[in-house]
Amino acid sequence: MSQLKLAPSILTADFARLGEEIRSVAPYVDWFHLDVMDGHYVDNLTFGPSIVDAVRRSCDLPLHVHLMIEQPAKYVDVFVKAGADRISFHPEVTDDPAGVIDAIGSAGAGAGVAVHPDVGLEQVRAHLEALDVILMMTVRPGFGGQAFLEEVLPKIKEAREIVNQSGRAADIEVDGGVNLDTVGRAVAAGGNSLVAGSALFDGLNAPAAAYRLKERLRELGHD
Ligand code: DX5
Ligand code: ZN
């Protein structure tokens, strides 16, 4: 198996010390996962492009922006300008997912479809040839710190089969409730990129937690 990737979500980081938090875990992780919420698609509100830009200036790692917003096409350019290397969106918010995927590609970023726990893989199948990442949600979008939804595991397996059969090297990123306990099941189902928010930040020793989770990924990936 190729190297398993760790992508911290900064949702539960201390925003008063954001640069420090980013730099403290950067040596042990592969990407940063930035959760943008608009109070419409989900109840919660988080941040916009200025925080993406702040993370961009705090490290050299690639940034994956997870849009949990309505009208994603409208905001693609501004997030790419702020430093997004990848953008994922929830296709159920639009009548034209292909248009959003095109807009992301034209802006120069990789595109991803985010799959809500209650939504199937139809949009993934329909647009697979244009996707760099499939973001499989193992919590209901909206908040960090929720419990991993075990019932999503068969759908992750199905997504892995779809990707492998296509021969496309899209990442399958598992997002929500990933920690030392759940990560093995997420990887066994076919996830190769793992988001972790509260398992790293949330008042913990973030670099030690990142180091331990990355070590576990090394063991699971045998590399
Ligand atoms: C949920 C977000 C996730 C989540 C990750 O809406 O998309 O990225 O916050 O945080 P934990 O690891 O705490 O579930
Ligand atoms: Zn996310």
Side-chain angles (χ1 to χ4, degrees), residues 9 11 33 35 37 66 68 137 141-145 175-177 195-198:
S9 161
L11 216 50
H33 176 102
D35 290 303
M37 305 185 191
H66 176 192
M68 285 160 274
M137 295 217 60
F143 296 90
D175 184 15
V195 177
S198 49

Side-chain angles (χ1 to χ4, degrees), residues 10-23 47 51 54-55 58 201:
I10 62 164
L11 216 50
T12 49
D14 178 356
F15 278 62
R17 302 186 299 111
L18 186 57
E20 238 175 273
E21 294 266 65
I22 297 287
R23 286 187 291 274
F47 52 78
I51 292 287
V55 178
S58 303
F201 295 109

Side-chain angles (χ1 to χ4, degrees), residues 94-149:
T94 172
D95 293 334
D96 184 20
V100 182
I101 293 168
D102 282 352
I104 297 169
S106 305
V113 158
V115 184
H116 185 288
D118 298 335
V119 172
L121 294 170
E122 296 74 21
Q123 293 294 329
V124 167
R125 283 200 184 81
H127 303 290
L128 185 61
E129 75 292 342
L131 300 180
D132 293 279
V133 56
I134 299 162
L135 185 60
M136 300 299 298
M137 295 217 60
T138 41
V139 295
R140 295 211 148 61
F143 296 90
Q146 302 181 73
F148 185 86
L149 295 172

